[in-house]
Amino acid sequence: MKDLFYPSHIELNEAAFKKNITFLRDYIGKDVVFSSVIKGNAYGHGIEYFVPMAEDCGVRHFSVFSSDEARKAQRASSHSSTHIMIMGMISNDVIAWAIEHEISFFIFELDRLKAAIKEARRLGKSARIHLHLETGMNRLGLAPEKFEDAVQMLKENHKYLEVDGLCTHYAGAESVGNYVRIKKQIENFDEYCSWFKEEGIEAKQIHSACSASALNYPDTIMDMVRIGIAQYGFWPNRETYMNFVKRHPRVDEEHQDPLKRIISWKSKVMSTKKVPAGEFVGYGNTYLTSRDQNIATVPIGYSHGFGRNLTNVGIVLINGERAPVAGLVNMNLLTVDITDIPNVQKGDEVVIIGKQGDQEMTVASFSEMRNFMNYEVLVQIPSTLPRYIV
Ligand SMILES: *Cc1c(COP(=O)(O)O)cnc(C)c1O
């Protein structure tokens, strides 16, 4: 049942998600753990909807940015074997909660390591940690000069720490412009992992790959991959797709993109009206009718992530046709020109992202109009809209 209180809704296509993870699992190999990255409200898909769907498709490992997302994922999960990993922010005050719930987290500072040991001792239960090593991104990551101190602390407190992982993150693996830097990071990571091993620190998993590095640098796949954008059906960028197709000609021959968009965003025509030639539509004077026109109002605006810069530029689908935005995008509304689309009625379906008839609005075309990357458009889709699995 649809919640009729909302002006628009999101649909998640489970079959498309299955295809994506089947493709990605085949690609990474069956012995590699697939961690589904669900930060940013599962890239706009909605953590509480996405997690159960992913679990139904066999996913048992999720990566989040922060502890609030971890808690949301944990509440949405219904499998005791599901594991949640925090890659970024968790306050020292919340570490006890993570330990109690066996949620693992990245360590990139000795301060956090100390806090983890302190809380684990207090609770009499070990903390599950991943040492996030600095290899050249220079953002987060434990600096090599801290490695010896870290090893000593690990050894002294081995009863209270489970080293789930040694990991790192690459500084832009989607772009060949960063090739030298990424290669250097891969080398550094290999060297540091060997060093930790020689020092007697055996991590359960060594992991480094995001979507782009897994696709562009197969060496980075290791024991586990942390895949975000690709599982949602998007290539990190066009360059990664081209590079992949070059190395896998079969994908090109089949003329079938192996990644399928799973999100659609739909609304309904709120009202229609006739506007005579030579009149302005909506606020101000950005849109002047050039003939007698029909205008439809759609209850989506910049408060929903449909940017104001799509004024007179954006496109939605109505009755399988492309309807251009006519006039300013308002906070909660937009007006579109339906003069050339026969018979549009109040209540007709409007597609902002997705397919209708032979037409499709991909997030990419939506974002190219806005000059954004997929990532940024996706996460701006409001978390408050209801999601339905279809
Ligand atoms: C976001 C993120 C990922 C996933 O990135 P995608 O490009 O979406 O696959 C992996 N690892 C870390 C540390 C991240 O922050």
Side-chain angles (χ1 to χ4, degrees), residues 161-229:
L161 296 168
E162 277 179 56
V163 185
D164 273 13
L166 282 179
C167 59
T168 196
H169 189 50
Y170 300 109
E174 66 282 352
S175 171
V176 73
N178 302 325
Y179 181 80
V180 174
R181 188 172 174 199
I182 304 299
K183 278 289 186 194
K184 184 71 192 151
Q185 281 194 275
I186 296 171
E187 265 174 41
N188 287 344
F189 190 52
D190 276 350
E191 184 191 322
Y192 299 159
C193 287
S194 310
W195 184 84
F196 274 93
K197 198 168 175 191
E198 281 161 23
E199 292 292 313
I201 304 299
E202 292 269 7
K204 275 184 241 158
Q205 280 157 346
I206 294 191
H207 54 102
S208 70
C210 60
S211 302
S213 61
L215 293 163
N216 287 328
Y217 302 86
D219 288 353
T220 65
I221 292 173
M222 306 176 189
D223 301 324
M224 176 163 84
V225 293
R226 309 182 303 259
I227 300 286
I229 197 80

Side-chain angles (χ1 to χ4, degrees), residues 171 246 268:
K246 224 186 285 166
K268 284 182 174 159

Side-chain angles (χ1 to χ4, degrees), residues 55 60 74 77-84 101-102 128:
E55 284 185 326
R60 294 290 181 272
Q74 186 214 24
S77 162
S78 58
H79 282 267
S80 55
S81 55
T82 285
H83 182 72
I84 298 164
H101 292 92
E102 295 183 19
R128 298 179 59 172

Side-chain angles (χ1 to χ4, degrees), residues 11-24 45 50 53 215 228-235 241 251 254-264 353-355 360-364 374 378:
E11 291 175 4
L12 304 181
N13 184 331
E14 183 163 356
F17 178 65
K18 273 200 183 115
K19 285 195 179 132
N20 297 340
I21 53 170
T22 302
F23 165 72
L24 290 164
H45 292 64
F50 186 81
M53 182 180 84
L215 293 163
I229 197 80
Q231 68 175 329
Y232 302 105
F234 304 101
W235 294 84
Y241 179 63
V251 170
E254 286 166 5
H255 293 292
Q256 274 273 10
D257 188 336
L259 296 179
K260 312 282 178 203
R261 179 180 43 74
I262 65 182
I263 198 168
S264 300
I353 298 170
K355 270 202 176 115
E360 178 167 9
M361 291 301 301
T362 63
V363 177
N374 286 338
L378 286 168

Side-chain angles (χ1 to χ4, degrees), residues 3 13 34 97 101 124 130 165 167 211 233 244 276-277 302 354 360 366 380:
D3 186 337
N13 184 331
F34 179 90
W97 172 84
H101 292 92
H130 301 256
C167 59
S211 302
F244 189 85
Y302 58 79
E360 178 167 9
F366 179 67
Q380 287 182 23

Side-chain angles (χ1 to χ4, degrees), residues 37 39 43 87 106 139 169 209-212 226-229 375:
V37 178
K39 66 191 182 195
Y43 293 48
M87 304 185 292
F106 282 21
R139 186 181 66 174
H169 189 50
C210 60
S211 302
R226 309 182 303 259
I227 300 286
I229 197 80
Y375 293 80

Side-chain angles (χ1 to χ4, degrees), residues 253-303:
E253 279 155 24
E254 286 166 5
H255 293 292
Q256 274 273 10
D257 188 336
L259 296 179
K260 312 282 178 203
R261 179 180 43 74
I262 65 182
I263 198 168
S264 300
W265 185 10
K266 296 178 178 175
S267 184
K268 284 182 174 159
V269 172
M270 184 173 166
S271 184
T272 61
K273 77 168 56 244
K274 292 184 190 309
V275 182
E279 293 277 333
F280 292 116
V281 173
Y283 287 123
N285 55 7
T286 66
Y287 190 88
L288 179 68
T289 52
S290 54
R291 51 183 171 148
D292 290 353
Q293 282 178 233
N294 294 328
I295 297 292
T297 311
V298 180
I300 286 180
Y302 58 79
S303 73

